[in-house]
């Protein structure tokens, strides 16, 4: 769980800092459409990070021999990670708490990503307001 959270923190902070640097330069150069592009591209990369983390949990499940079927492991890890719980707990006795750790990492990771997205939205709104400042009708 700690490795997943450290990976998550490193990758989303790297993406956010890159987004901030690029959008700051684009706003100064009045390249507002690039800000919009960077926003959506970063959003896609954030989603891909979550998918990768679900796959990492799946590899752990398979590597520890908890489940043998890769698809079942992916579905179980995704169900726990997103905390929706659409898959039943099919883990062997003694491994039941594993679902808790997957859920806890997903809960923190999704919340962390949400806070990053809120910060990114401010830059997006700033670029939007500057691009369309002369066309507003009140």
């Amino acid at each position: 769980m700690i490795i997943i959270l450290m990976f998550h923190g490193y990758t989303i902070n790297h993406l956010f800092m890159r987004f901030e640097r690029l959008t700051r330069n684009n706003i100064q150069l009045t390249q507002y459409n690039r800000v919009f592009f960077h926003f959506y591209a970063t959003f896609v990369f954030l989603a891909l990070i979550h998918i990768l983390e679900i796959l990492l949990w799946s590899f752990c499940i398979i590597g520890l021999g908890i489940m043998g079927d890769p698809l079942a492991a992916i579905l179980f890890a995704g169900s726990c990670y997103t905390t929706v719980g659409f898959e039943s707990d099919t883990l062997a006795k003694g491994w039941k708490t594993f679902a808790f750790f997957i859920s806890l990492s997903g809960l923190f990771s999704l919340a962390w990503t949400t806070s990053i997205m809120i910060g990114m939205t401010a830059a997006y709104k700033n670029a939007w307001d500057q691009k369309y400042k002369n066309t507003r009708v009140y």
Side-chain angles (χ1 to χ4, degrees):
M1 181 178 78
I2 292 171
I3 291 169
I4 294 287
L5 290 174
M6 289 175 64
F7 170 78
H8 186 79
Y10 173 79
T11 54
I12 69 168
N13 283 331
H14 177 76
L15 280 174
F16 182 65
M17 295 304 166
R18 183 176 185 276
F19 172 81
E20 285 284 310
R21 187 183 74 248
L22 290 173
T23 56
R24 190 178 322 112
N25 291 337
N26 293 144
I27 288 174
Q28 286 176 351
L29 298 171
T30 66
Q31 298 170 331
Y32 304 119
N33 288 334
R34 289 187 182 192
V35 173
F36 306 148
F37 172 79
H38 292 307
F39 178 83
Y40 292 116
T42 304
F43 180 79
V44 169
F45 284 121
L46 289 170
L48 290 174
I49 289 169
H50 288 285
I51 291 170
L52 181 59
E53 289 167 0
I54 290 169
L55 291 175
L56 289 172
W57 275 119
S58 302
F59 294 146
C60 287
I61 291 170
I62 294 167
L64 291 170
I66 301 170
M67 288 181 175
D69 181 21
L71 183 58
I74 292 169
L75 289 172
F76 180 76
S79 173
C80 291
Y81 183 87
T82 58
T83 66
V84 287
F86 55 83
E87 285 289 314
S88 59
D89 188 357
T90 56
L91 297 179
K93 193 170 186 168
W95 289 102
K96 298 286 185 188
T97 58
F98 203 70
F100 168 76
F101 292 108
I102 297 172
S103 297
L104 193 60
S105 73
L107 182 68
F108 280 109
S109 296
L110 291 167
W112 202 346
T113 300
T114 301
S115 70
I116 292 290
M117 287 300 299
I118 290 169
M120 289 171 48
T121 302
Y124 182 93
K125 184 181 180 320
N126 182 20
W128 184 273
D129 288 345
Q130 287 186 38
K131 180 176 182 177
Y132 296 107
K133 66 183 170 195
N134 294 327
T135 59
R136 287 190 176 192
V137 177
Y138 292 98

